[in-house]
Every structure is written in C-alpha cells, then in structure tokens.
Amino acid sequence: MFKSFALRALLACSGAVAASSAVDGVRESLHALADTLSFQGNIYKTYSPVQDKAMEAFRAVDEASSEISPSRLENVMQTLDRLLAECQLYVTESSDPNYVPGALETDEYLTNNVAEWKVAIEVMSENLEEPYGDVTAGQPLLGREKVTYDTEPGTIFSDGYNLPDMVVIPTGSCIAGATPEEHEEWNVDENRRAFEYPQRKIRISTPLAFSRTEVTVAQFASFIKHTGYRTRGGARWWDASGFVFNPNLTWESPGFPQSPDYPVVAITRYEAQAYARWLSAITGAVYRLPNEDEWDFAARGGTNTTFFWGDTLDLASEYANTYDNSSAEVNHFRWPSNKLWDGFPHTAPVASFKPNGYGLYDMTANAREFMADDWLPFLSSADSDGSIHKGPAPFPTVRGGAWNYNPKNLRISYRSAYTSSEVATNMFGIRLVRDLE
Ligand SMILES: *[C@@H]1O[C@H](CO)[C@@H](O)[C@H](O)[C@H]1NC(C)=O
Ligand SMILES: *[C@@H]1O[C@H](CO)[C@@H](O)[C@H](O)[C@H]1NC(C)=O
Ligand SMILES: *[C@@H]1O[C@H](CO)[C@@H](O)[C@H](O)[C@H]1NC(C)=O
C-alpha cells in the first residue's frame, strides 16, 4: 500500500492521547472531507482541497485510534491512504504549468471520480462505530479440488456448489499490444494509442486456472449471504446527459434487468477482491484477480489476432455481447452500433456466446474485467512475465470490452483505467484466476 513520507511523518509525531469526543472529531473531519468532493473545473482546484481535508481526517483518525475497532481503523486508514495517493499524484502532476489533462482525465471522468469518493467517505463515516467485517472470519473450510501444475490444460473443475467453474489454461507466449495499422483500421482515439504501444511478447510460464465465465450474480449473492458483506453502492452509468455516477445503482439493481446467471456488475475492485478472499478462505486455494499479462494471454486463447475469433468483426455476434442493433434500439448511446444483432440490449447470461480457444467465455465483451494491476499508461518498461504492475496511485486497470462497446474497444489490445480506486460501473464485473499447486 502506498504511503507518502508526509503521512509517515505525521503518524510518527502525533500523540496517542484520545479525547472523549475523538470519534465525533473523526466524523466531523470526514464530513468536511466529503464536502470538498465535487468537481471544481480542473484537476488542481478539485484535488488540492481534497488532499488537505483527507490529511486532516487522517490526523483525526489517528487521534481516535484507541476508540475505533482495529479492523475499522485499518479500513479507514487504508481508504484515506488510497485517496491521498490519488490526490498527491494529481496535485503534483497538475501543478506543472505544462500539464495537459490526458484521455482519462476529462471533466466527465473527474466529476464521477469525486462523486464516487464522496459516497465512499459518507458510507465510512456512518459505520465508524462498527468493526469492519472480515469476510474470512468464521467461514468453514470446505476444501478444494486437487488441481496441480501437471493437470491437463482444458480441465474444467469447480471447488464447490455455486462457486465459479474454472478451466486450466496452457502456458505459452503471445503478442500483446497493438500496431499503428490496427489503430488506423479501428479508428482508435489518438490520445489512447500509446497505452497499447509497443507490442510486447508476454510469456506465461506458470500454469493457472481462469474462471470460465465472469462471476455471476448468483455467485456473488452467495458470498453476500454467507458473509454479510456490505457493498458501497452507487455506480457510473450512461444516461441521457452522459456517463454519470448514479448513487442508486447496486449490484442487485445495476440500471437494467438481470437474472442470477448474468455477470455481477456495479461493484468496485475492492469488492471483487473481497469475493476472491472469501473463496480462498472457504476452499483453501488461492483465488485472485488476474493481472494484465495473464489476462492478455488467456483472452487471446492461442491467437495473436485483433479479436480472439480473427481480425474482422464479421463473427462478433457469435462470440461477444457488444453494442449491436438490439442494444442501440433500447439504449440510443451517443456512438453508432456495430450493425450486428446479438439479441442482448444490456449484459447477457454468462456463456451465451462461443468461448475462445482456451474455453473462456465473454473475454471480449459482456462485462469488462478488473485487473490486479495499478494503471500504468505505458507498459514498455514494465515486466512482461505475469507480474503485477505497481503504479503511482491505485487506479484499477480494466480489460476486455463491454455490452455497450463499439469495435475499437472490443479489440483484445484495448486497455484502459478509471482514475479512481473507488470506480464501479454497470459495465465492470469480475473474472478470477486460481493458482494451481
Ligand atoms: C503468437 O505469438 C507468440 C509469441 O511470438 C508465438 O509463440 C505464437 O506461436 C503465436 N501464435 C500464433 C497462433 O501465431
Ligand atoms: C436516486 O433515488 C432518489 C430517491 O428515489 C431519487 O430522488 C434520485 O433522483 C435518484 N437519482 C438518480 C440519479 O437516479
Ligand atoms: C442494423 O441496423 C442498420 C441500420 O442502422 C441496418 O443497416 C442493419 O441491416 C441492421 N443489422 C441487423 C443485423 O439487423
């Protein structure tokens, strides 16, 4: 977890004497922080007051540390630490007179970033008195399938009832990233092209299993039922005014109809990771989010083509739930449909389309998928061996297209992020990997 020198210094100096109203002090400081969380016209003006108030809240929490349960204290500290890392990156970058906001820093994105954080801080301040629920506490160890490095690729297994179906994928290499020709052909925005340069060879040498599908609503519901875990609530969605944060959306009600076999969406990366921790606890296996290299290799399913079914869109409606005519008729988004017909206006039940060469469904569309990696805009110097990328702030990298995406964003090479670690949208869901033994 990122920790600035300023924070370390602050923690080292502050006394441990708690006033009787220390928790009220925390609540007040969190309210003051929430009040600063609105878009102020540019990055600097938005994030600089947030940074100040988040520091004050951090100090107040530290003073109240003996009155807050250790699990809650840890959660509050980690949450403020994430927000401070994001503020610090943005305040530093945008203080440079030559700073030009990038493709991921439009006013629309920034407005949503702070709206989302405001809800996160409000929810936190409402729950200060309660311990933070540990999703692994008191959970029975139910056991797991024995799946080893020697298990045949293609082997399908599940560690238990209503847990994800997994498939062992092979080891090997693929070419990740895109060429300028691919960008020309699919009309990729100029200011996003560098995210996919240069092409890199990735080698995955440790066998592992991927969930065959995105995690379903039924699977996530089982996690909630057994742990009492509470999600934050609120997600970005498209409405007539654009892409906005809607505080009313939840994983159970993401803004469109869904059934238990649909991919769960409108959750944050932290909630996805809590689900993986619970699975790990009850099975004794290691479940986690994939990292980008693993995802790239798995998504291609043995190909190096633009889409896992080839280089053209002709077959897309057999393999992917995208922004097709059936979706355009209902949603009227501000970009054109791909003129195909897949029959699903929003998300579709998982595995409604054909799988890729490794037996994985919906890698290209339906829901986008959270990566374990922090966002790095340029990967040229990053490891290409399946390691997790660490960035200056915990912005979640997301891969794969979505039910409302047009062709340029269905390419396997497409990679992007949202510059808030609290991001949830009704396009983002969960793909898991499980380590073998
Ligand atoms: C894809 O690229 C990798 C890395 O160069 C190579 O090992 C593999 O054979 C290629 N696959 C196909 C189907 O061309
Ligand atoms: C959220 O729900 C409240 C209460 O029903 C409603 O007033 C508000 O307009 C809703 N917000 C959005 C963005 O739909
Ligand atoms: C999708 O709509 C376009 C008109 O916008 C039409 O030309 C095309 O034939 C339609 N495709 C299908 C498969 O219905």
Side-chain angles (χ1 to χ4, degrees):
M1 181 65 58
F2 171 91
K3 215 166 233 170
S4 71
F5 291 114
L7 288 182
R8 284 175 205 276
L10 187 67
L11 282 175
C13 308
S14 59
V17 191
S20 59
S21 61
V23 176
D24 291 338
V26 173
R27 200 172 288 110
E28 261 170 47
S29 69
L30 290 177
H31 286 156
L33 170 58
D35 286 344
T36 62
L37 283 158
S38 68
F39 183 57
Q40 300 298 322
N42 70 41
I43 297 189
Y44 187 81
K45 283 195 208 144
T46 301
Y47 280 90
S48 152
V50 174
Q51 184 173 34
D52 294 343
K53 294 294 175 192
M55 279 292 244
E56 282 173 26
F58 207 93
R59 197 176 294 123
V61 173
D62 188 50
E63 273 166 21
S65 59
S66 60
E67 292 180 31
I68 299 177
S69 77
S71 61
R72 177 64 58 185
L73 186 69
E74 188 186 353
N75 173 259
V76 172
M77 292 278 201
Q78 282 179 355
T79 307
L80 289 173
D81 213 32
R82 274 197 273 129
L83 177 57
L84 278 162
E86 296 174 24
C87 289
Q88 197 162 49
L89 176 70
Y90 267 158
V91 168
T92 309
E93 276 186 4
S94 62
S95 326
D96 179 341
N98 299 320
Y99 181 67
V100 181
L104 305 177
E105 293 145 14
T106 63
D107 290 359
E108 193 174 59
Y109 283 142
L110 296 167
T111 302
N112 291 334
N113 285 356
V114 282
E116 215 156 54
W117 263 110
K118 190 185 182 75
V119 170
I121 297 299
E122 282 166 354
V123 168
M124 201 162 77
S125 95
E126 280 159 24
N127 294 305
L128 281 177
E129 243 94 17
E130 289 173 50
Y132 185 75
D134 173 0
V135 297
T136 66
Q139 297 294 314
L141 178 61
L142 301 173
R144 61 182 182 277
E145 293 293 316
K146 188 153 177 62
V147 187
T148 71
Y149 289 159
D150 298 326
T151 303
E152 195 67 25
T155 302
I156 294 166
F157 66 96
S158 163
D159 284 321
Y161 172 71
N162 215 0
L163 305 187
D165 268 352
M166 308 299 293
V167 61
V168 178
I169 63 158
T171 54
S173 301
C174 70
I175 309 283
T179 59
E181 292 72 32
E182 181 178 315
H183 286 159
E184 277 306 306
E185 181 175 358
W186 297 99
N187 201 20
V188 173
D189 303 5
E190 299 279 353
N191 62 359
R192 286 173 177 257
R193 294 184 179 191
F195 297 164
E196 301 169 18
Y197 294 152
Q199 283 201 310
R200 315 170 287 137
K201 185 169 165 175
I202 287 175
R203 172 151 190 84
I204 298 297
S205 43
T206 310
L208 82 167
F210 260 74
S211 63
R212 295 175 78 200
T213 70
E214 289 154 353
V215 170
T216 64
V217 170
Q219 288 161 353
F220 197 76
S222 170
F223 157 63
I224 297 287
K225 186 176 134 208
H226 286 101
T227 59
Y229 184 83
R230 275 181 294 169
T231 55
R232 182 203 66 201
R236 304 181 194 199
W237 76 333
W238 290 93
D239 73 9
S241 65
F243 193 46
V244 296
F245 179 75
N246 180 338
N248 300 336
L249 301 188
T250 66
W251 65 274
E252 288 170 289
S253 176
F256 47 72
Q258 59 177 9
S259 305
D261 58 347
Y262 278 55
V264 67
V265 292
I267 38 90
T268 68
R269 178 163 70 165
Y270 295 91
E271 293 160 356
Q273 286 168 328
Y275 176 63
R277 269 203 311 284
W278 174 69
L279 283 181
S280 303
I282 62 169
T283 61
V286 175
Y287 281 89
R288 56 182 177 81
L289 297 182
N291 60 53
E292 278 200 87
D293 287 352
E294 292 167 340
W295 189 94
D296 245 302
F297 176 73
R300 290 170 193 278
T303 71
N304 294 315
T305 44
T306 305
F307 310 98
F308 66 76
W309 56 82
D311 284 318
T312 70
L313 214 58
D314 306 348
L315 297 175
S317 52
E318 287 180 40
Y319 288 95
N321 174 24
T322 66
Y323 193 51
D324 66 318
N325 282 9
S326 71
S327 190
E329 279 179 7
V330 173
N331 295 300
H332 311 291
F333 290 133
R334 61 189 179 198
W335 50 93
S337 99
N338 59 20
K339 310 269 186 282
L340 300 169
W341 186 271
D342 64 42
F344 293 98
H346 303 104
T347 51
V350 299
S352 295
F353 297 84
K354 291 183 186 167
N356 76 4
Y358 296 159
L360 302 172
Y361 294 86
D362 301 315
M363 289 304 274
T364 290
N366 214 18
R368 304 201 70 200
E369 298 169 9
F370 280 116
M371 299 295 110
D373 312 70
D374 297 337
W375 172 247
L376 291 178
F378 313 112
L379 288 183
S380 51
S381 59
D383 294 338
S384 301
D385 59 355
S387 324
I388 295 179
H389 307 138
K390 296 307 270 174
F395 300 145
T397 303
V398 278
R399 296 296 301 266
W403 56 270
N404 58 352
Y405 273 22
N406 56 9
K408 68 182 175 194
N409 297 346
L410 298 170
R411 297 172 303 106
I412 299 281
S413 300
Y414 176 57
R415 56 185 298 273
S416 69
Y418 284 71
T419 51
S420 156
S421 59
E422 283 291 332
V423 66
T425 84
N426 68 3
M427 307 177 295
F428 295 0
I430 312 172
R431 173 87 52 181
L432 291 176
V433 296
R434 174 187 176 302
D435 290 337
L436 306 184
E437 50 199 305

